Amino acid sequence: MTFAIAARVLAQLRRDHRTVAMLVVMPALLVTLMWWMFAETPETFDRVGGALLAVFPSIIMFIVTSVATLRERSSGTLSRLFTLPMGKLDFLLGYALAFALIAVVQAAVVVSIALYALDLDIRGQAWQLGVVAVLDGVLGTALGLLASAFASTEFQAVQMMPAVMIPQLLLCGLLVPRDHLPAVLQAVSDVLPLSYAVDAVGGVAIGRGFGQGAGTDALVVLAFILAALAFAAATLRRRTP
């Protein structure tokens, strides 16, 4: 059932060209915009560019996934699916698998453009950066699935984005290094998944690859993904009130 749900989601996405373009092209466009902003100070782009490869895919995946899942529930599709021999976790894993495949394409595009078109300077291996970028996209998907379980309308699902993602964006180390934050904010940052996503990308960027710390951060991101999916399965409603 998980693979059947994944195939169904991919078929829907194949017919929705605008959503596919948003998922695959938009992160690369946003990274390119940041590169253009810092064209006079390329060292600044080198400093924040890696973190952007974690932040932009996560945010975009969060928005699309949360709205798409809520639409399934509000239209009654989810209730009809649950008449089949399928559990909530099958449904969520199917969605996660479909968007993980999209995340692979997304990561390949944005990492290739960042490294070879925008000349982002990293010391680590490109494939490790790609793996972390895929995990970050799947993290956004998992958080979007979790957030959709608490929303009743598509508008509420969109409202979840500033509530869930903006605090993480501010505290993940993109604007201020996490060890320079006030003690309370640093403690909050330590329990936010996007912090470890940015740390994993940053570790690869400075040459501290999977065997030297970045791998641990990537495993923490994976743990957050699994926890979010499990919690979403426990709280997902079949239809909106």
Side-chain angles (χ1 to χ4, degrees), residues 147-215:
S148 69
F150 297 94
S152 298
T153 66
E154 292 181 22
F155 181 63
Q156 287 182 4
V158 174
Q159 286 178 316
M160 290 286 186
M161 197 281 287
V164 175
M165 300 303 290
I166 297 301
Q168 296 192 70
L169 175 63
L170 296 176
L171 299 177
C172 70
L174 177 63
L175 302 179
V176 178
R178 291 173 57 208
D179 55 1
H180 292 176
L181 292 170
V184 173
L185 295 182
Q186 187 173 347
V188 174
S189 174
D190 288 341
V191 298
L192 298 178
L194 197 58
S195 299
Y196 296 93
V198 170
D199 285 350
V201 172
V204 173
I206 64 175
R208 188 169 51 84
F210 284 172
Q212 299 174 301

Side-chain angles (χ1 to χ4, degrees), residues 7-190:
R8 176 177 170 276
V9 173
L10 289 173
Q12 289 177 327
L13 288 174
R14 189 168 58 247
R15 294 191 295 268
D16 190 348
H17 298 155
R18 285 178 294 184
T19 298
V20 172
M22 180 177 180
L23 290 171
V24 176
V25 178
M26 186 59 69
L29 288 179
L30 292 174
V31 171
T32 302
L33 177 62
M34 295 295 290
W35 167 81
W36 198 359
M37 289 171 57
F38 296 115
E40 300 299 324
T41 55
E43 65 279 359
T44 303
F45 178 71
D46 288 336
R47 179 175 61 82
V48 303
L52 297 177
L53 300 183
V55 170
F56 288 150
S58 294
I59 291 177
I60 291 173
M61 283 292 201
F62 178 92
I63 296 172
V64 173
T65 306
S66 59
V67 171
T69 310
L70 196 284
R71 186 176 299 165
E72 295 271 50
R73 200 168 75 237
S74 61
S75 65
T77 303
L78 187 55
S79 294
R80 293 191 293 272
L81 287 173
F82 279 136
T83 62
L84 302 174
M86 179 189 73
K88 294 180 180 179
L89 190 57
D90 292 318
F91 172 78
L92 294 171
L93 287 177
Y95 255 81
L97 178 59
F99 279 96
L101 295 176
I102 296 295
V104 172
V105 179
Q106 181 190 71
V109 171
V110 70
V111 170
S112 297
I113 288 177
L115 295 182
Y116 305 116
L118 307 181
D119 200 25
L120 177 65
D121 184 23
I122 68 164
R123 299 178 185 176
Q125 300 183 47
W127 72 268
Q128 293 186 358
L129 193 63
V131 169
V132 175
V134 170
L135 280 176
D136 296 340
V138 177
L139 174 64
T141 296
L143 294 177
L145 290 170
L146 176 58
S148 69
F150 297 94
S152 298
T153 66
E154 292 181 22
F155 181 63
Q156 287 182 4
V158 174
Q159 286 178 316
M160 290 286 186
M161 197 281 287
V164 175
M165 300 303 290
I166 297 301
Q168 296 192 70
L169 175 63
L170 296 176
L171 299 177
C172 70
L174 177 63
L175 302 179
V176 178
R178 291 173 57 208
D179 55 1
H180 292 176
L181 292 170
V184 173
L185 295 182
Q186 187 173 347
V188 174
S189 174
D190 288 341

